[in-house]
Amino acid sequence: MKTFEKVLEIFREYLDSDQEAEVLPCRKGYLRVTWNGDSRYCADGILSRTLDELFEVLLSDYRGYEELRLTKGCREVSEDDEKQAEVLCRNLLGRWEEESK
């Protein structure tokens, strides 16, 4: 069964690693917030009205995070980097799809 807790479980390693990303339940759905270092102001926030929307937002964030990790932020993302990130994302997507069964 798809739940907010399951989304957090699937992305736990990523959310624990990325100290600038945070996910919160709210009245209108789920809010993914990114912080800009130690600033008291958030850099951005995206409201997801459904768990599937939240999953897609976090999957996109995760892909970017992994591409940055692979390139160490020192070079352009290569085709090989994209393929590696895609494999990681497919694994998370498979876990999410299992929750629908």
Side-chain angles (χ1 to χ4, degrees):
M1 184 167 124
K2 293 181 177 181
T3 65
F4 176 66
E5 291 75 18
K6 191 61 174 179
V7 174
L8 295 181
E9 179 185 317
I10 290 171
F11 287 100
R12 175 60 45 214
E13 188 175 318
Y14 159 63
L15 291 170
D16 286 346
S17 298
D18 187 349
Q19 296 299 301
E20 295 188 350
E22 188 169 2
V23 182
L24 309 162
C26 63
R27 278 188 196 148
K28 298 195 182 259
Y30 310 94
L31 184 62
R32 193 278 285 133
V33 179
T34 54
W35 302 99
N36 194 3
D38 290 332
S39 174
R40 61 185 263 189
Y41 301 103
C42 64
D44 79 342
I46 298 176
L47 176 67
S48 300
R49 297 191 186 272
T50 68
L51 290 169
D52 286 322
E53 285 178 14
L54 175 61
F55 184 88
E56 289 300 321
V57 166
L58 290 175
L59 191 63
S60 176
D61 290 349
Y62 176 68
R63 179 185 312 275
Y65 182 84
E66 284 300 320
E67 288 174 352
L68 185 63
R69 185 186 63 77
L70 289 166
T71 64
K72 298 178 177 44
C74 296
R75 60 178 172 78
E76 293 293 317
V77 177
S78 70
E79 189 175 314
D80 189 49
D81 297 328
E82 289 175 348
K83 286 179 183 176
Q84 287 181 53
E86 179 62 27
V87 167
L88 295 169
C89 288
R90 271 195 305 245
N91 290 337
L92 297 183
L93 184 58
R95 289 177 60 190
W96 184 242
E97 289 172 347
E98 281 293 315
E99 294 305 311
S100 298
K101 296 178 181 179

